[in-house]
Amino acid sequence: MLAQIRVMRNKNRLTVVNHYAILEIEETVDRLLFGTGGTPHSAETQTTIDGIRCIAELGLGCMEMEFVQRVTLGEAGAKLVAETATKEGVKLSAHASYYINFNAHEPEKIAASQERLLQAARIASLCGAQSVVFHPAFYLGDPPETAYETVKKYLEEVMDKLKRENNRLIIRPELMGKPSQFGTLDEILRLSTELEGVAPCIDFAHWHARTGAFNSYAEFTAILSQVKDRLGRAALDDMHIHFSGIQYGAKGERKHLDLAEADLNYLELLKALRDYDIKGLVICESPNLEEDAMLLQETYLELVKTG
Ligand SMILES: [Zn+2]
């Protein structure tokens, strides 16, 4: 017997009902959105809800909720955040705790790390966020290959748990800025190919700080080509990008800077994003947050207009 399939649309959500199941399909962002890492400074208060309202007022498109010290929302608060984000048309992501190390040598630290990522993912999902970014690990003197297997094993346990909870949020290990930190381009792309539900957070500032290179059009497009070759075009249609000015030295990242004070060639990066028709979120982590986010957005739109 032929299964009957019905498809219904409500704004950007597609509901597909077939013989076996009801599938809810959230369409991915169909263009490149710019926003801030955390509530903008110019928001009325520093709450997440006022942050979302401010993003909309400024004409930006997205915001990353910073659960970096702790998850600041409960379930009721998360639902209000979701309502506000839908009403204002702002896309959300979340940044999980800084206190995560999937390569910790003590089992209790691994368990605590897994719990922190799960907690962020559960609340972020209630907020209607599409992904959670996290800093996976430190090498702690281990060979990178050993660290990779350890990180993968414990991350896989988290992914299994989320799947059982029917939480389909995308978990994004971040490209990290210090050589002591797990999270090279190769490592995060490898995790993304080997684990279902995992995709990269490409932090161009971190990679520049870590390598002292990757600050030209050719190098930016080399990263994008690698993402495409290893994860497919679909990955370029759903990118999560972190960007800011950055100060760095022999040990990589020192601190984030405003773009005007830093050497990052953001014009060339924006040209690369335009030419590769990148879609998804660009989260600005400069200290001035919304000012650089708006600078990036305006420059990008100008580049798109002029071709
Ligand atoms: Zn980060």
Side-chain angles (χ1 to χ4, degrees):
M1 190 180 90
L2 199 67
Q4 201 187 6
I5 298 178
R6 285 186 299 137
V7 181
M8 287 155 290
R9 172 181 291 279
N10 179 14
K11 289 197 185 124
N12 65 343
R13 184 174 278 272
L14 285 175
T15 305
V16 179
V17 185
N18 68 25
H19 192 63
Y20 307 102
I22 299 174
L23 304 171
E24 295 277 347
I25 302 170
E26 184 91 39
E27 278 183 52
T28 49
V29 180
D30 63 357
R31 59 197 175 91
L32 196 57
L33 302 179
F34 293 81
T36 54
T39 294
H41 298 305
S42 54
E44 218 167 297
T45 72
Q46 284 298 299
T47 61
T48 303
I49 286 183
D50 278 342
I52 294 166
R53 290 187 182 130
C54 182
I55 290 287
E57 271 178 289
L58 294 170
L60 292 167
C62 58
M63 189 177 94
E64 189 151 287
M65 299 176 287
E66 300 280 3
F67 300 151
V68 296
Q69 301 298 333
R70 61 192 180 90
V71 177
T72 48
L73 293 163
E75 287 188 16
K79 283 176 186 161
L80 283 177
V81 164
E83 281 169 24
T84 310
T86 305
K87 184 170 152 255
E88 302 286 352
V90 171
K91 295 281 177 194
L92 295 176
S93 58
H95 196 307
S97 171
Y98 286 149
Y99 309 102
I100 285 176
N101 184 1
F102 281 0
N103 188 43
H105 293 161
E106 302 86 346
E108 62 276 15
K109 285 191 186 168
I110 297 282
S113 295
Q114 290 178 313
E115 203 42 52
R116 286 178 187 131
L117 183 54
L118 280 167
Q119 179 66 2
R122 286 171 185 142
I123 292 294
S125 175
L126 290 176
C127 289
Q130 292 172 334
S131 50
V132 171
V133 173
F134 77 112
H135 301 174
F138 289 87
Y139 296 112
L140 303 177
D142 293 343
E145 185 58 30
T146 315
Y148 180 84
E149 290 306 328
T150 309
V151 169
K152 183 185 164 188
K153 177 177 169 221
Y154 294 123
L155 179 57
E156 192 165 22
E157 289 178 4
V158 170
M159 300 311 295
D160 286 346
K161 203 155 191 180
L162 288 174
K163 202 172 174 184
R164 283 201 300 278
E165 293 175 11
N166 206 19
N167 184 328
R168 290 181 299 129
L169 215 86
I170 298 170
I171 300 293
R172 296 185 183 264
E174 180 173 332
L175 191 55
M176 297 308 298
K178 293 178 190 162
S180 59
Q181 291 171 308
F182 177 95
T184 62
L185 184 59
D186 180 62
E187 284 162 345
I188 64 163
L189 292 182
R190 201 171 149 199
L191 285 173
S192 304
T193 53
E194 293 179 359
L195 295 178
E196 195 192 332
V198 173
C201 168
I202 304 289
D203 190 318
F204 285 96
H206 279 171
W207 198 232
H208 171 52
R210 186 165 181 151
T211 59
F214 288 92
N215 197 22
S216 65
Y217 180 85
E219 290 163 306
F220 295 136
T221 54
I223 295 176
L224 299 175
S225 291
Q226 211 179 328
V227 172
K228 187 180 172 197
D229 290 347
R230 293 179 63 175
L231 303 176
R233 171 69 221 183
L236 299 187
D237 289 332
D238 185 24
M239 285 279 275
H240 194 84
I241 294 168
H242 279 182
F243 198 61
S244 69
I246 200 154
Q247 188 188 84
Y248 54 97
K251 289 179 183 166
E253 171 188 12
R254 280 201 193 122
K255 62 173 183 171
H256 290 192
L257 298 174
D258 294 340
L259 290 172
E261 297 166 6
D263 69 350
L264 258 173
N265 200 337
Y266 66 90
L267 189 63
E268 297 297 297
L269 172 66
L270 293 171
K271 280 183 191 165
L273 299 180
R274 175 197 63 185
D275 294 349
Y276 273 66
D277 195 19
I278 300 301
K279 292 164 187 153
L281 310 187
V282 177
I283 299 295
C284 175
E285 295 184 323
S286 294
N288 71 15
L289 290 178
E290 64 266 40
E291 290 168 1
D292 275 356
M294 291 170 78
L295 173 68
L296 290 168
Q297 176 172 273
E298 277 172 31
T299 311
Y300 175 78
L301 293 176
E302 195 59 38
L303 283 170
V304 170
K305 210 162 66 186
T306 53

